[in-house]
Amino acid sequence: MRDAAPQTIYLKDYTAFGWQVESVALHFTLDPHHTRVRSRITFSPDPKAPAQPFFLHGEALKLISAKIDDQNVDVTLTPDGLTCPVPDVPFVWETEVEIDPAGNTALEGLYMSNGMYCTQCEAEGFRKITYYPDRPDVMSVFTVAIDGPHPILLSNGNPVSTTEHHAEWHDPWPKPAYLFALVAGDLIAHEGQFTTRSGRDVALNLHVRPGDEGKCAFGMQALKDSMKWDEDVYGREYDLDLFNIVAVDDFNMGAMENKGLNIFNSSAVLASQATSTDTNFERIEAIIAHEYFHNWTGNRITCRDWFQLCLKEGLTVFRDSQFTADMRSEPVKRIEDVIDLRGRQFAEDQGPLAHPVRPESFQEINNFYTATVYEKGAEVIRMLKTLVGDQAYSNAVTLYFDRHDGQACTIEDWLRVFEDTTGRDLTQFKRWYSQAGTPRVSVFEAWNGSTYTLTFRQNLTSSTTTPKPLPQVIPIATGLIGPHGREVAPTRILEMTETTQSFTFEGLDARPTPSILRGFSAPVVLEHDMSEDARAHLLAHDTDSFNRWEAGRTLARNTLMDMMLKGTRPNPAYLSGIRAVVTDDTLDPAYRRLMMALPGQADLATALADKGHTPEPDIIHAALEMMRDAMAKKLSDFLPALYAANQVTAPYQPDAQQSGQRALGNAALSLLTRSDDGAQAKAQYDSADNMTQQLAALANLIRTGRGDAAVQAFEAQWKDDRLVMDKWFGLQVIEADPEDAHEIAAALTGHPDFNWKNPNRFRAVFGSLAVNHAGFHHASGAGYRLLADWLIKLDPVNPQTTARMCSAFQTWKRYDAERQALIKAEVARILDTPDLSRDTTEMLTRIAAA
């Protein structure tokens, strides 16, 4: 029988906890199935909080004893916690519980990964460790003792004492329970050291399993770079004597920012030339920075309640984006971020899973670790910085740190520091946090001989969560390009606050071409009826790197739309424009690579749906293949030279310059493969000395249908490396012909190394199937059935991963009636599964209600 209907929790119902937690002492006696956890917690009544019963969260705990001030007490147990009478004066609460880490397949709380104990407590995992007020606004100082037969015993903060099979840790900084961490196992430490700007020495350790020692150097350097960048740019210095990172194979997320003890999915920290691609290296660098930056934006200052999740995540995503832009290429990073935002967050906004950046309600908080909270949350902060300027932003953030250090805060606290430092009223800007959906902005031009006028209109669309949307503040960065390609008006921030608003540019000699929304200054859909010639003019001359790319991207999208809807051939003007960019060796190789890339299948499906057309996955796939053939033909005389010029001969480095060259060279290889039947890809595969080149060659061989031997050779070479094998599983599905994708995915689930309980391996197969758009949406519905079968199997083992994978079904309403019926049937079949988790029930109920 399924769990009781999930309870809806509302932001408006927030009530402070009735007691303060003065201190927490925990003692763990580790055992795979019978770990004992003793807690000693000092509570004192909070006179400012409303009267309420004393309630502590707790799930899947076996209560051994409970005491108040050393006296046994009777408690009332419920499935989600306990209650009992308590004195109205300070008291000491003590419990002993027993838990089963080895049986904890949900990977929340304390669990085991290949014999290693580890924790994941965000958002509500600590309640699976002991009874506690498991909410982010309850902050306290923790002292932790661990007994276990393991050489490494770790927890938060600084070590107090360590003897054989025993360790004690103390974290002097108050924190909520979601930041608690414990690790115990047979681990090897890759050591480092960092001296803060005030002269304190901090010991750094990256703990890994034996055999992974050679994959630590890059992660360690990324950590040091992050620490220095946070000092230089934000003035934030690290505040403990020790910083530990641990690599864990079984982890639902990328990483976790626990105070002083960051726990990472192995894929987000382990890297080497032989086993990791350039994309892996950049991702690792960004995730390490993200989790380290949380030390201040998330740990020292946390969120009052989970509705404020965007407070810590949006700000930290913005900070890690700044870091990557500084470490690599700002234009390339910005373009990549927007591609990701449009691909994931815009789709979320347009479907049944839409919600505001700060939701008003939720049933299962794990389902709100979304692109809207993270990526759109970061875009809102980027807009705020754009509106107030760099110096005012710096002043406000410094005030935020000074005013709220050690506190659990809200979006109102965050915005107030900007109001106090700038004098601006941010009441209207706050709507970005409360209104769901992607604003659509229409643009109209007028020219009278010397004055040029741009008129913008916000098209406000109601939704379930925002039935009466109001105009939002939209910073529109705009420049003007003259008819001869010269910039005649530099970037100006047009601050739109009304539903309809006009802005004028005077003193012009000729009608310009507008470059609107430079740098993607706001997360909106711009609706501008611009001619193809005007877009080609921007592609050739725009001084804003983002908008130059955007012009090419829009030309490509429009050309592909015409091909799909009108049966036309690829636009020669677009192909000529791309050739001009690709052959311009004064441009950054990574930027040229982005200019060559076409919109993805899901992107085109969204564009078709936006125009009122029903996307046909097979037709989308065919149009993209035709376009790539046309690009290969247009560049055929140049591709060999482009490929040769971007073969890096210097010793391998995963830096921006070399990564950009390899990316451009592999883009050339992809087009060359269309005419040489995979000959160059085979040569590259055979000679590759790094994973970037090897994997790119393998992908091309699979696409040509000549990859069988290389697929087998790759498996034989890397069968003992779990992270590389994740690539092997995923690549075969992503690059499969759409007709075969579901069959290949199904066959891979029968492979001896398909460990479906490992989130990385499960995502490698089924996340890749969802990415293979035409394959997943095969008219037979086989892709839908296969995914549903495995989600039903996974849900009782790992509800979090199951629920997140359900998002593959969220766009079902855009497709034809036959596909809609097939998806609805699979969603209903999953929902009819007995004992379906709260996580999955909520996700699929929202999707089905679209």
Side-chain angles (χ1 to χ4, degrees):
M1 183 175 179
R2 184 184 303 156
D3 292 344
Q7 177 185 2
T8 300
I9 301 169
Y10 295 92
L11 171 61
K12 62 182 176 62
D13 293 337
Y14 169 81
T15 301
F17 185 57
W19 291 262
Q20 295 177 344
V21 180
E22 306 294 340
S23 64
V24 179
L26 302 174
H27 191 131
F28 290 79
T29 304
L30 299 177
D31 180 273
H33 292 288
H34 306 285
T35 288
R36 290 292 181 100
V37 184
R38 299 198 302 274
S39 63
R40 181 181 174 86
I41 306 169
T42 303
F43 288 97
S44 62
D46 185 349
K48 295 179 293 184
Q52 58 194 270
F54 181 74
F55 173 78
L56 300 181
H57 298 98
E59 294 180 9
L61 306 175
K62 179 182 178 181
L63 180 62
I64 306 299
S65 65
K67 296 180 179 180
I68 291 179
D69 293 335
D70 208 31
Q71 298 297 312
N72 292 329
V73 293
D74 293 327
V75 301
T76 300
L77 296 177
T78 66
D80 57 356
L82 64 74
T83 58
C84 79
V86 297
D88 58 2
V89 295
F91 62 92
V92 176
W93 167 266
E94 294 178 272
T95 60
E96 183 171 5
V97 301
E98 184 177 281
I99 56 178
D100 179 9
N104 182 3
T105 60
L107 313 184
E108 294 179 283
L110 179 66
Y111 65 94
M112 299 193 74
S113 172
N114 295 328
M116 177 172 69
Y117 293 86
C118 55
T119 54
Q120 170 54 33
C121 293
E122 187 177 0
E124 297 176 341
F126 191 77
R127 63 192 61 186
K128 295 184 177 182
I129 293 174
T130 193
Y131 289 102
Y132 193 78
D134 188 8
R135 41 189 292 168
D137 59 341
V138 176
M139 303 175 70
S140 187
V141 173
F142 280 65
T143 301
V144 178
I146 311 168
D147 292 323
H150 311 282
I152 298 295
L153 302 169
L154 305 174
S155 192
N156 307 89
N158 294 319
V160 176
S161 65
T162 302
T163 59
E164 188 176 14
H165 307 321
H166 178 81
E168 294 185 21
W169 293 80
H170 177 69
D171 185 356
W173 301 103
K175 65 174 179 285
Y178 83 84
L179 291 172
F180 171 78
L182 180 151
V183 170
D186 181 11
L187 300 169
I188 295 174
H190 180 91
E191 298 178 350
Q193 185 269 337
F194 182 81
T195 302
T196 69
R197 63 179 183 175
S198 67
R200 288 191 309 104
D201 290 333
V202 180
L204 311 176
N205 292 300
L206 206 169
H207 298 272
V208 298
R209 295 186 182 281
D212 287 333
E213 303 94 315
K215 300 178 182 179
C216 298
F218 182 80
M220 180 61 72
Q221 186 58 51
L223 175 59
K224 294 177 183 179
D225 291 341
S226 304
M227 296 175 81
K228 185 176 188 307
W229 186 90
D230 211 17
E231 289 185 347
D232 293 344
V233 178
Y234 278 84
R236 297 301 101 193
E237 187 173 318
Y238 187 61
D239 52 6
L240 291 169
D241 301 330
L242 178 67
F243 190 93
N244 284 315
I245 289 176
V246 180
V248 177
D249 288 346
D250 300 285
F251 206 70
N252 283 331
M253 301 188 227
M256 180 60 208
E257 70 267 18
N258 320 294
K259 183 71 177 181
L261 176 55
N262 285 188
I263 299 179
F264 274 64
N265 187 314
S266 297
S267 67
V269 68
L270 300 180
S272 73
Q273 171 181 340
T275 62
S276 306
T277 65
D278 292 334
T279 301
N280 294 149
F281 278 103
E282 182 175 342
R283 174 176 178 262
I284 287 167
E285 182 179 66
I287 292 177
I288 286 175
H290 179 94
E291 305 308 333
Y292 175 75
F293 297 157
H294 265 313
N295 187 60
W296 276 91
T297 51
N299 296 2
R300 289 283 288 263
I301 305 175
T302 192
C303 42
R304 185 195 71 177
D305 52 71
W306 289 120
F307 296 100
Q308 320 295 328
L309 183 59
C310 58
L311 176 66
K312 75 181 186 78
E313 295 300 347
L315 178 54
T316 306
V317 169
F318 177 63
R319 278 160 36 81
D320 81 53
S321 178
Q322 289 180 291
F323 169 77
T324 300
D326 287 348
M327 296 296 292
R328 293 177 179 266
S329 163
E330 192 280 330
V332 170
K333 174 60 176 171
R334 187 64 187 134
I335 292 167
E336 290 174 344
D337 282 350
V338 174
I339 291 172
D340 182 62
L341 182 80
R342 288 171 169 168
R344 298 194 304 121
Q345 197 281 317
F346 278 23
E348 208 165 78
D349 263 351
Q350 295 165 7
L353 301 182
H355 63 86
V357 174
R358 181 171 68 178
E360 295 294 324
S361 66
F362 63 76
Q363 293 178 348
E364 176 52 65
I365 184 55
N366 288 326
N367 289 337
F368 279 89
Y369 283 74
T370 63
T372 298
V373 166
Y374 280 68
E375 277 68 39
K376 188 172 181 179
E379 291 296 321
V380 172
I381 290 169
R382 181 181 291 275
M383 282 191 294
L384 185 56
K385 184 173 183 287
T386 298
L387 288 167
V388 304
D390 293 349
Q391 187 57 55
Y393 172 82
S394 179
N395 294 342
V397 174
T398 298
L399 177 60
Y400 177 67
F401 292 134
D402 292 343
R403 180 182 289 176
H404 296 295
D405 187 11
Q407 296 178 11
C409 296
T410 64
I411 289 301
E412 285 75 16
D413 296 321
W414 165 252
L415 293 178
R416 193 171 299 115
V417 298
F418 282 85
E419 292 181 325
D420 291 348
T421 52
T422 66
R424 292 180 64 114
D425 182 348
L426 295 175
T427 302
Q428 185 181 14
F429 183 83
K430 186 180 170 184
R431 292 173 189 164
W432 280 103
Y433 287 102
S434 60
Q435 296 191 171
T438 304
R440 309 182 79 87
V441 177
S442 300
V443 185
F444 307 92
E445 303 177 54
W447 169 251
N448 71 358
S450 63
T451 300
Y452 178 72
T453 302
L454 285 171
T455 299
F456 299 92
R457 184 175 68 227
Q458 296 188 39
N459 302 309
L460 305 173
T461 304
S462 62
S463 66
T464 303
T465 55
T466 311
K468 294 181 180 179
L470 298 171
Q472 296 176 223
V473 180
I474 303 177
I476 306 173
T478 302
L480 303 178
I481 306 297
H484 299 295
R486 183 174 60 86
E487 184 174 78
V488 295
T491 301
R492 169 181 159 193
I493 305 299
L494 310 179
E495 188 172 333
M496 187 181 187
T497 58
E498 306 296 333
T499 302
T500 301
Q501 203 164 343
S502 298
F503 301 88
T504 60
F505 299 79
E506 299 180 345
L508 300 172
D509 296 330
R511 180 173 183 145
T513 300
S515 172
I516 303 172
L517 209 66
R518 285 184 155 184
F520 201 66
S521 57
V524 303
V525 172
L526 197 66
E527 298 174 331
H528 187 190
D529 188 15
M530 179 181 279
S531 71
E532 299 294 86
D533 287 344
R535 295 194 192 281
H537 188 63
L538 293 178
L539 175 60
H541 303 293
D542 203 327
T543 55
D544 181 77
S545 298
F546 178 86
N547 269 16
R548 188 177 188 187
W549 169 84
E550 181 80 303
R553 187 78 160 193
T554 304
L555 281 171
R557 186 182 298 111
N558 291 347
T559 296
L560 286 160
M561 294 273 281
D562 285 345
M563 292 166 62
M564 291 183 284
L565 297 173
K566 302 176 184 178
T568 59
R569 304 292 297 174
N571 186 338
Y574 166 71
L575 295 172
S576 296
I578 290 300
R579 180 182 173 92
V581 172
V582 172
T583 56
D584 184 355
D585 59 12
T586 65
L587 296 174
D588 177 3
Y591 183 74
R592 291 158 74 190
R593 163 68 184 93
L594 284 170
M595 294 296 288
M596 290 176 69
L598 295 172
Q601 295 180 56
D603 184 358
L604 291 170
T606 299
L608 286 165
D610 281 349
K611 297 292 186 182
H613 303 287
T614 300
E616 289 287 347
D618 295 340
I619 292 176
I620 294 173
H621 179 263
L624 284 166
E625 288 298 295
M626 182 185 295
M627 177 69 90
R628 292 185 181 109
D629 284 341
M631 290 175 67
K633 183 176 181 180
K634 183 69 174 180
L635 295 168
S636 59
D637 61 324
F638 181 67
L639 286 174
L642 181 65
Y643 177 78
N646 286 282
Q647 299 309 297
V648 179
T649 57
Y652 179 88
Q653 293 292 332
D655 57 24
Q657 179 58 38
Q658 283 198 17
S659 297
Q661 284 187 261
R662 282 187 287 269
L664 183 56
N666 285 326
L669 176 66
S670 180
L671 296 180
L672 278 171
T673 301
R674 292 176 174 271
S675 59
D676 74 355
D677 212 20
Q680 187 62 62
K682 177 65 166 60
Q684 177 169 309
Y685 183 88
D686 291 341
S687 64
D689 67 351
N690 63 79
M691 183 52 65
T692 300
Q693 298 302 85
Q694 187 178 22
L695 207 67
L698 180 60
N700 279 287
L701 291 171
I702 292 172
R703 281 196 293 267
T704 65
R706 297 179 177 273
D708 289 351
V711 166
Q712 293 176 18
F714 192 94
E715 180 187 12
Q717 180 182 0
W718 295 112
K719 57 185 174 59
D720 295 325
D721 190 301
R722 58 202 181 279
L723 296 180
V724 178
M725 285 300 290
D726 286 337
K727 297 177 173 64
W728 181 83
F729 275 91
L731 193 69
Q732 292 177 76
V733 181
I734 287 176
E735 301 298 347
D737 184 281
E739 286 295 317
D740 305 324
H742 61 275
E743 293 180 356
I744 290 173
L748 286 170
T749 64
H751 190 280
D753 288 335
F754 179 68
N755 176 9
W756 59 275
K757 294 182 181 180
N758 176 269
N760 288 351
R761 191 59 48 89
F762 190 91
R763 287 188 289 254
V765 173
F766 292 105
S768 299
L769 179 60
V771 169
N772 189 323
H773 183 262
F776 180 60
H777 292 287
H778 192 274
S780 67
Y784 309 146
R785 287 192 296 275
L786 180 64
L787 179 58
D789 287 343
W790 280 94
L791 293 179
I792 290 170
K793 184 174 183 177
L794 183 65
D795 183 72
V797 173
N798 189 328
Q800 272 195 41
T801 298
T802 306
R804 287 175 183 150
M805 288 298 302
C806 288
S807 62
F809 295 124
Q810 70 175 316
T811 57
W812 67 276
K813 286 283 285 186
R814 68 168 53 147
Y815 297 101
D816 56 83
E818 290 78 11
R819 285 184 173 89
Q820 286 189 27
L822 289 168
I823 295 175
K824 286 172 65 177
E826 296 307 323
V827 169
R829 180 162 70 93
I830 302 171
L831 282 170
D832 284 341
T833 303
D835 301 316
L836 196 68
S837 69
R838 292 193 306 263
D839 307 60
T840 303
T841 298
E842 182 191 17
M843 287 289 281
L844 289 180
T845 300
R846 291 165 63 197
I847 288 171

